[in-house]
Amino acid sequence: MVANPEMDGGVAGWGSFRGARVEGRVGADGNRFVVASWRNSSYGSVSQRFWFKKDHLYAFSAWVQVSEGSGVPVKAMFRTRGGYRFAGAVMAEAGCWSMLKGGLTAQQTGVAELYFESKNATVEIWVDSVSLQPFTKDEWRSHQAENTELYRKGRVRVQAVDASGRPLAGANVSLHQNELNFPFGCAINKHILANTAYQNWFSSRFKHTTFEDELKWYATEKTQGQEDYADADALLQFAKKNGVSVRGHNIFWNDPKMQPSWVPSLAPEQLRAAADKRMNSVVSRFKGQVIHWDVVNENLHFKFFEDKLGADFSAKAFQAAHQLDSGPIKFLNEYNTLEQKGDADATPANYLKKLKEMPSGVPLGIGLEGHFDAPDIAYMRSALDTLAAANLPIWITELDVANTNQAEGLEQIINEATAHPAIRGIVIWGAWKPSGCYRMCLTDNSFSNLPTGDVIDKMLDRLKHKSLTGATDQDGFFETSLYHGSYDVSVTHQDAPVPSAGSFQVSSDGNTQLITTTVQIQVSS
């Protein structure tokens, strides 16, 4: 959609926004780009106008540089009839190009004017290689289906032969998935411990969980020096009994409002001692029993501990957690990186910058809470694409959706997440309690599904392959596409008195080879 996207035509197609001077330049390597200089405000920029269509999804990218400085935030914005729309952001540098990747869904049909924004009005903004691609909803869903097939499934071929190795046509093949390779879980809390109906509903669906509050510092040490892990221990035993993996959430929470009541008044040295005790206590107690640790929760938005104990607090906490329990992945866990466009504290670029502050040698993970209001799937994909460049496991750790179109929004998010190759797991933030859930319940108080619960069951049914049957062709082959996981196969034939069985694994290691398994049938004479 972009006129003169590579800037080979100088400034052709590009105009000025808010009075900035726009000029074309040529780098020492012969590369052409456009520049916004003499910027009198944060909005001064190059610009170009487009025609958006309502409900179309737009994927956006551009290469951006600034004339001076390092880590200068630059946003891509669209001015529309309905207001200003954030598309993406990057931490721009002088002397090298940075890719700004973004996206948005059009809320109405009409003109949309692209411009770039930086609060630092003293720098020039350089722009090159701009792309804006439109997609209908059907085209977007088609791409999701292609990605799901490519990244979540593998091609499998079963061959039925007789004792002499001759292919058997018309053999009946039945496939059963034993284990789902894609972690899909839901949070729980202490109310599950004495509620059999809740236990049955949960354990029949999920193999991954997060304790909602029971492992947090304010829950385990309400009074200084009086630790109480009874609820957390009981939840862990419930999880073990039901074969459920647990995310350790969390060691610290950087929000000053989320501390134990006695913590904020501590002097720095007292706080340091209390924090050391907390680290050693919780991590040592649950060592080897959790798959992840959320080490310093929400440390992009808040800095309670950094303000009191130094800017390197988070880095030291990650190192200490790793020394105490080296097995689990250590996660930064943050909100609005995925779900809320334009939160300057938590943009994907800022998240990647924070990752670089973490100590080397510690296995890191990207935790995206995912507390969505009105999901914009185009932006969500661009955020995941940007974060995926870190080549770290990405989990959506606390997924819920606000009340408006809750089930529809939840399904959109899950479809996008499971189609993205960088996502390694999802945990729904739908822990039940008598007073109601945090924002999104999956069941009513009788543990009958609400529409959101139906969305979850639909997704689990799709991922689990509860049963799949077919017949072999003239060469004895049955071929299909299966989600990653372990499978049993049973083959029968009209001339075989006893079924023959086998097993195989559809790997998620990126191997796209066709898996062939052969099942020999003893055919009666």
Side-chain angles (χ1 to χ4, degrees), residues 336-507:
N336 282 357
T337 303
L338 194 65
E339 64 269 36
Q340 183 62 51
K341 301 188 298 183
D343 184 336
D345 291 326
T347 61
N350 249 6
Y351 199 113
L352 293 176
K353 180 183 177 184
K354 190 68 175 180
L355 279 173
K356 293 178 181 178
E357 298 176 12
M358 298 302 108
S360 61
V362 176
L364 298 175
I366 295 174
L368 307 172
E369 292 183 13
H371 297 297
F372 285 83
D373 290 328
D376 189 328
I377 301 304
Y379 179 77
M380 176 180 171
R381 182 177 296 182
S382 73
L384 289 174
D385 286 347
T386 299
L387 293 167
N391 198 29
L392 296 173
I394 300 176
W395 280 59
I396 301 180
T397 58
E398 304 179 18
L399 177 58
D400 61 19
V401 185
N403 290 330
T404 306
N405 298 323
Q406 203 169 53
E408 179 184 350
L410 179 63
E411 186 168 19
Q412 288 177 0
I413 295 160
I414 291 174
N415 286 341
E416 184 64 36
T418 53
H420 199 286
I423 293 291
R424 293 290 181 264
I426 299 172
V427 177
I428 305 297
W429 206 249
W432 177 88
K433 50 188 146 188
S435 59
C437 308
Y438 172 66
R439 285 208 315 175
M440 184 185 77
C441 280
L442 302 178
T443 74
D444 61 20
N445 287 347
S446 299
F447 297 96
S448 296
N449 272 6
L450 297 170
T452 47
D454 289 339
V455 169
I456 300 303
D457 283 355
K458 178 181 177 182
M459 175 56 59
L460 289 172
D461 284 345
R462 178 158 70 86
L463 291 172
K464 281 181 178 176
H465 281 314
K466 286 186 176 178
S467 62
L468 182 64
T469 59
T472 58
D473 62 18
Q474 62 183 6
D475 296 317
F477 287 109
F478 170 70
E479 187 173 328
T480 189
S481 176
L482 298 176
Y483 283 97
H484 301 146
S486 62
Y487 290 83
D488 289 333
V489 55
S490 176
V491 180
T492 59
H493 190 270
Q494 61 183 4
D495 296 328
V498 179
S500 293
S503 60
F504 57 89
Q505 180 82 22
V506 183
S507 175

Side-chain angles (χ1 to χ4, degrees), residues 9-67:
V11 298
W14 294 93
S16 170
F17 192 82
R18 295 291 177 91
R21 177 187 294 175
V22 176
E23 58 182 300
R25 291 187 190 168
V26 182
D29 58 356
N31 179 56
R32 296 180 180 273
F33 53 94
V34 295
V35 175
S37 59
W38 294 91
R39 299 173 56 246
N40 296 318
S41 71
S42 60
Y43 306 101
S45 173
V46 300
S47 71
Q48 190 168 143
R49 293 186 177 186
F50 306 93
W51 185 262
F52 276 5
K53 294 182 179 179
K54 184 179 180 180
D55 294 332
H56 278 48
L57 300 94
Y58 294 86
F60 175 80
S61 66
W63 288 90
V64 177
Q65 191 174 160
V66 289
S67 56

Side-chain angles (χ1 to χ4, degrees), residues 216-229 259-263 266 274 277-278 281:
K216 292 169 181 171
W217 195 4
Y218 59 63
T220 63
E221 195 175 359
K222 295 178 182 178
T223 301
Q224 187 174 12
Q226 298 179 21
E227 293 182 332
D228 182 0
Y229 286 100
Q259 308 305 321
S261 60
W262 52 271
V263 163
L266 296 178
K277 180 173 178 286
R278 161 66 178 176
S281 173

